[in-house]
Amino acid sequence: MTAVSNRYPTAQLRALDAAHHFHPFTDTKALNAEGSRIITAAKGVWLTDSDGNRILDGMAGLWCAQVGHGREEIADAVHRQMTELSYYNTFFKTTHPPVIALAEKLAEVSPPQFNRTFFCSSGSEANDTVFRMVRFYWDQMGKPEKKIIIGRWNGYHGSTLAGTSLGGMKAMHEQGDLPVPGVRHIPQPYWFGEGGDMSPAEFGIWAARELEKAIDHHGEDKVAAFIAEPIQGAGGVIIPPETYWPEVQRILKERDILFVADEVICGFGRLGTWFGSEYYGIEPDLMPIAKGLTSGYLPMGGVLVSDKVAAGVIDKGGEFYHGYTYSGHPACAAAALANLEIIQREKLVERVANDIGPYLQARWRALGEHPLVGEARMTGLVGALELVPEKGNRKKAFPNTGTVGTMCRDISFRNGLIMRAVRDSMIISPPLVITHGEADQLVAIAKKTLDDTHAELKRRGMI
Ligand SMILES: *Cc1c(COP(=O)(O)O)cnc(C)c1O
């Protein structure tokens, strides 16, 4: 059998994909009727497809390619590591230099309360680790009755059993009778969609106090932890009102439960700080990480463990019966180290805070003037456009949620820009290395895409 190569014609690649590949988060039957898009190469912020089209990657892969695609420095570091030590485990009293170096580097770049990392291969595994570590912590602290973990509706924490359970995606819960027992969900701080007649500030306080109500309802002595993304990503780039995080932090400070900030998207510069928690001035006890940790060059995740949690799960002694064959994989650690080295050397975090962040935000927010856009929001380099049938009326949505978003996403792809659709909002999260010129191109294509979508909706009589 010959290797499938870039030189196969698109139709042949599509047919093979349709015959043998079961896609994640996809109605594969419907996709196969339509045919997959085939990406064959990528450099910087640009993707190339099997027909030779160049497409601007407005999503940094899946929110992960902080340093852009195709950096030889990372490939070289991985190659070097694989020829020296391709694999060894970290279970049985062993370790190796790349994982030592990475753990030390993460302690350096993270907030002061974090000095240790537990490694895994993805964000979902990181949250499975969180689930087990939180319960182990309270057992170790002599409070085994503290078991309930509170998450948020429309939060996303991955797709494994624990990840799906902690997350608040109802469609995911419906497949397989989830969440698992011991998980509760509270409303999300999504003012545009759920704020009703409250001002954003009032709504932020209201949403935070739902946490207080939930903890007090179950009793602080039964609740183990609260988990949340600083900004919800997959849920539609939900940027909470300014009042939200200070109120949540107040509530958590007054109660003895662990605070887990899921930094899988917000970590590694996305908000113009190393971690989203720093952007909001919140102080978590655990931080699951993945995505930007390696910029997606190899799969790797982890959980940053604060000194407070370490006092229970490490200092008290006793084995934590948990780990993965690939925990701290040397080649993945080498990729992460090379990636973090680029982020530091090119000052990408500062660049998002002071340069490209404000630059793109101003242009993105200006898209809010478009007749199809109800709100244009962006923090750091993550943003959303809410598409609405009636400008100025937040309460009116398109029928069959998701139809217009998907239409707009397909038009955007044809116009040469990857945006993601969540319900009827359009999402971007570009690589942190995007230049001013490329940011201008991104906004110009997004504008044209809105115009084209508007025209198509008119043609179909939908507005
Ligand atoms: C993507 C994501 C995850 C899951 O990560 P995987 O690597 O896909 O398992 C978890 N949490 C958040 C916030 C994410 O965005």
Side-chain angles (χ1 to χ4, degrees):
M1 191 182 144
T2 54
V4 173
S5 95
N6 277 359
R7 289 181 301 281
Y8 275 33
T10 299
Q12 190 177 357
L13 290 168
R14 276 205 182 124
L16 286 169
D17 189 75
H20 303 299
H21 183 190
F22 187 171
H23 286 247
F25 278 107
T26 299
D27 177 339
T28 298
K29 184 176 179 192
L31 172 70
N32 290 347
E34 194 182 328
S36 261
R37 299 162 179 136
I38 298 155
I39 307 299
T40 53
K43 196 86 191 164
V45 303
W46 296 99
L47 308 175
T48 306
D49 73 10
S50 55
D51 296 323
N53 299 307
R54 262 161 61 88
I55 306 142
L56 207 168
D57 184 6
M59 278 304 295
L62 256 181
W63 327 81
C64 57
Q66 318 299 73
V67 302
H69 299 280
R71 309 279 304 231
E72 286 185 13
E73 186 177 335
I74 301 180
D76 289 345
V78 169
H79 180 264
R80 235 181 293 121
Q81 184 56 49
M82 282 194 168
T83 51
E84 192 158 306
L85 175 70
S86 52
Y87 173 73
Y88 200 72
N89 74 71
T90 50
F91 282 22
F92 310 122
K93 300 187 182 177
T94 53
T95 187
H96 49 71
V99 77
I100 296 169
L102 179 59
E104 187 203 20
K105 175 61 83 181
L106 288 168
E108 174 201 320
V109 301
S110 60
Q113 72 267 34
F114 293 101
N115 290 298
R116 285 187 185 81
T117 305
F118 189 102
F119 289 101
C120 56
S121 303
S122 71
S124 298
E125 285 184 2
N127 283 316
D128 277 55
T129 300
V130 159
F131 199 107
R132 299 200 57 210
M133 196 184 290
V134 156
R135 291 183 164 186
F136 179 55
Y137 172 80
W138 288 115
D139 287 350
Q140 292 278 94
M141 300 304 283
K143 296 186 177 174
E145 66 288 351
K146 277 169 86 72
K147 286 277 149 48
I148 294 172
I149 306 180
I150 299 173
R152 302 183 300 180
W153 293 117
N154 200 40
Y156 187 76
H157 301 295
S159 180
T160 50
L161 277 177
T164 302
S165 295
L166 296 171
M169 300 290 178
K170 288 184 181 158
M172 290 174 74
H173 288 171
E174 277 162 20
Q175 291 179 335
D177 299 330
L178 297 173
V180 296
V183 181
R184 299 287 184 281
H185 296 89
I186 59 169
Q188 57 178 335
Y190 178 30
W191 178 77
F192 189 87
E194 299 174 1
D197 293 324
M198 284 183 256
S199 70
E202 288 165 349
F203 179 70
I205 298 285
W206 176 85
R209 293 201 179 146
E210 288 294 304
L211 173 63
E212 190 166 43
K213 277 201 276 180
I215 299 171
D216 296 346
H217 170 77
H218 294 290
E220 186 184 335
D221 54 336
K222 296 282 188 315
V223 178
F226 171 59
I227 182 168
E229 303 151 83
I231 287 176
Q232 288 153 261
V237 185
I238 311 298
I239 301 175
E242 278 173 22
T243 51
Y244 181 75
W245 280 119
E247 184 67 1
V248 168
Q249 186 69 74
R250 174 194 67 77
I251 291 161
L252 293 174
K253 281 239 153 87
E254 291 173 10
R255 289 163 182 78
D256 188 23
I257 73 171
L258 297 177
F259 180 14
V260 185
D262 185 337
E263 294 276 0
V264 171
I265 286 178
C266 295
F268 305 102
R270 177 61 54 201
L271 306 188
T273 45
W274 272 95
F275 295 91
S277 303
E278 296 165 292
Y279 180 85
Y280 285 110
I282 50 183
E283 291 172 29
D285 302 303
L286 291 167
M287 295 201 301
I289 54 172
K291 296 192 170 118
L293 169 62
T294 60
S295 280
Y297 281 72
L298 283 177
M300 186 174 227
V303 179
L304 293 180
V305 179
S306 66
D307 296 339
K308 173 180 164 179
V309 172
V313 299
I314 296 176
D315 302 347
K316 281 194 182 293
E319 178 171 345
F320 182 32
Y321 298 108
H322 176 67
Y324 306 98
T325 302
Y326 301 131
S327 283
H329 191 290
C332 303
L337 279 166
N339 173 58
L340 297 180
E341 157 81 26
I342 293 173
I343 292 177
Q344 287 192 310
R345 191 179 65 233
E346 298 183 358
K347 298 194 167 31
L348 296 182
V349 179
E350 297 82 348
R351 186 170 184 269
V352 173
N354 306 319
D355 176 11
I356 190 66
Y359 184 87
L360 184 53
Q361 286 158 23
R363 285 150 185 79
W364 184 256
R365 289 194 191 116
L367 295 173
E369 302 300 312
H370 195 278
L372 200 54
V373 178
E375 182 179 79
R377 54 178 182 263
M378 181 177 263
T379 297
L381 280 187
V382 62
L385 303 172
E386 296 274 358
L387 307 186
V388 290
E390 196 181 302
K391 202 171 174 70
N393 183 358
R394 249 186 332 116
K395 290 178 186 157
K396 189 153 174 223
F398 285 109
N400 303 321
T401 304
T403 314
V404 174
T406 306
M407 179 199 298
C408 184
R409 183 187 69 187
D410 291 347
I411 291 172
S412 187
F413 195 97
R414 281 202 295 280
N415 287 339
L417 169 66
I418 304 255
M419 291 196 276
R420 175 167 171 179
V422 177
R423 298 179 300 276
D424 292 317
S425 58
M426 305 312 298
I427 307 299
I428 61 159
S429 173
L432 311 186
V433 293
I434 188 170
T435 63
H436 288 211
E438 289 161 345
D440 291 342
Q441 279 175 282
L442 185 157
V443 172
I445 302 175
K447 167 84 171 44
K448 177 174 169 16
T449 297
L450 291 170
D451 290 343
D452 292 353
T453 306
H454 195 251
E456 178 64 18
L457 288 172
K458 273 213 159 127
R459 202 181 61 76
R460 296 193 193 182
M462 287 172 73
I463 45 174

